[in-house]
Amino acid sequence: MLRLPQGFEISTNLHEHSRRGYNDQSMNTNELIWNGQISKSFLKSKTLVVALNFYDLLGQQSNYERWISATGRSDTRYNSINSYAMLHVRYRLNLFGGKVDTEGRYDKKWGNNDRRR
């Protein structure tokens, strides 16, 4: 995560899907999936977070799946939008009256506090 001026934060992740072992070489693929997010916290307690997430920035995610087992094979193609953006608005309620964590340890993806720091 990169903290920018005026309370903006940028984060990104990168992972690769690799398919191997098929006789059909068009099925042996590597898909590099890059996702990104820009977010900003609002209010004095930083309990309102607005985030814009971008999925598959490189446009490499495929829309097919092949499963092979001892009893058969299944090819599935999906009608899907693989690269897209999504706007998230989150408000954290402090229902128990405890101190709100404003130290940046809040895990934006899962909503858990990161106790490792």
Side-chain angles (χ1 to χ4, degrees), residues 55-91:
Y55 299 94
D56 192 19
L57 291 168
L58 302 175
Q60 292 189 3
Q61 187 171 2
S62 66
N63 61 346
Y64 66 89
E65 194 173 71
R66 176 175 279 181
W67 294 96
I68 299 175
S69 69
T71 59
R73 165 178 109 175
S74 172
D75 289 328
T76 306
R77 293 203 181 270
Y78 300 96
N79 291 329
S80 62
I81 299 172
N82 297 325
S83 297
Y84 59 96
M86 187 178 300
L87 181 67
H88 299 267
V89 178
R90 293 183 293 270
Y91 183 75

Side-chain angles (χ1 to χ4, degrees), residues 41-60:
S41 297
F42 295 93
L43 303 178
K44 184 178 178 181
S45 60
K46 298 183 180 181
T47 54
L48 178 66
V49 178
V50 177
L52 184 59
N53 291 27
F54 301 94
Y55 299 94
D56 192 19
L57 291 168
L58 302 175
Q60 292 189 3

